[in-house]
Amino acid sequence: MTAVRVLLVDDHPIVRAGVRSLFDRRDDVDVVGEAASGEEAVVLARHLHPDVVLCDLRLGDGMDGVQTTAALRSQHPAPAVIILTTFDRDAEILGAIEAGAAGYLLKDVAPDDIVHAIRRAAAGQLILSPELTERVVQVMRAPRVRLTERELDVLRLLDTGASNREIAKTLFVSEATVKTHLVHIFDKLGADSRARAIAIARDTGVL
């Protein structure tokens, strides 16, 4: 059986070492390199030509897993990309799939499942559990929330914990205007509080 060439991408060395150890005694997976950032992964992939890139979603400063996936998939030849992460927000799963990821696995998955996913990805298959597939379908079917640029400005400041007065001062508008924007934001997001609005915005990828 031909070994699948794999590039590991994670900003934590101990995580990379742990994942690499899963493949040490296997003949069907060959770890050809490791990268600590998305930028490094893109460069290494051009030289190492991995069949599959196993990539975390959060990579510290710089490119995240979704951006890294898109950059890797634009290469010729393009490696398959599997996101291996602890984060399972619907918006992040959908973002990764839209960027071209072949699969999305959580880090508590069994080692044999990771190996199986790698081989399936190398064969051009999509790897998503039935539960994640259903969630992605539901998100894709749901109408996209669209906020105006000013509403996004207000929401981002809201996310920092800023008060209405602080938001008004930052945006050079009145507090009454801020309150009007908040009413529109809550209505569009279906939220009944500041905290709920932020939570919904994060889950749906607005923030």
Side-chain angles (χ1 to χ4, degrees):
M1 182 180 293
T2 303
V4 179
R5 295 169 57 82
V6 176
L7 173 64
L8 304 180
V9 187
D10 197 294
D11 58 333
H12 294 99
I14 192 169
V15 174
R16 296 199 306 273
V19 175
R20 177 185 277 272
S21 70
L22 299 177
F23 311 128
D24 281 345
R25 298 182 180 180
R26 302 193 64 103
D27 296 327
D28 53 348
V29 177
D30 181 18
V31 177
V32 296
E34 298 180 16
S37 69
E39 290 81 358
E40 184 181 5
V42 171
V43 173
L44 285 178
R46 290 196 186 102
H47 298 284
L48 299 176
H49 304 295
D51 301 307
V52 177
V53 177
L54 207 55
C55 183
D56 194 5
L57 187 67
R58 305 287 175 84
L59 297 170
D61 297 333
M63 298 169 65
D64 62 17
V66 172
Q67 294 169 323
T68 301
T69 296
L72 289 169
R73 293 297 297 163
S74 69
Q75 294 186 357
H76 299 284
V81 181
I82 298 175
I83 298 294
L84 181 64
T85 184
T86 57
F87 302 95
D88 68 342
R89 295 195 312 168
D90 293 349
E92 292 172 328
I93 298 170
L94 180 59
I97 299 304
E98 288 180 335
Y104 197 105
L105 301 175
L106 299 181
K107 287 183 178 178
D108 60 358
V109 69
D112 284 346
D113 289 340
I114 296 178
V115 174
H116 184 55
I118 286 173
R119 295 207 64 83
R120 288 179 59 194
Q125 299 177 30
L126 182 66
I127 306 98
L128 274 182
S129 68
E131 176 192 356
L132 292 185
T133 299
E134 177 62 24
R135 286 167 57 181
V136 168
V137 170
Q138 289 178 355
V139 172
M140 292 180 70
R141 286 176 176 171
R144 294 293 181 92
V145 175
R146 297 191 181 279
L147 302 183
T148 66
E149 284 301 319
R150 183 42 59 98
E151 288 168 352
L152 285 171
D153 290 338
V154 171
L155 187 62
R156 292 185 187 108
L157 289 169
L158 199 68
D159 189 35
T160 68
S163 66
N164 287 5
R165 178 175 295 181
E166 291 169 331
I167 294 173
K169 184 176 181 180
T170 300
L171 298 180
F172 302 102
V173 297
S174 68
E175 286 188 56
T177 298
V178 172
K179 291 179 181 178
T180 299
H181 285 312
L182 288 175
V183 168
H184 293 159
I185 291 169
F186 286 8
D187 182 58
K188 290 180 179 180
L189 294 176
D192 56 7
S193 69
R194 300 161 79 92
R196 184 62 182 150
I198 292 169
I200 293 173
R202 288 175 176 169
D203 287 342
T204 56
V206 174
L207 273 180

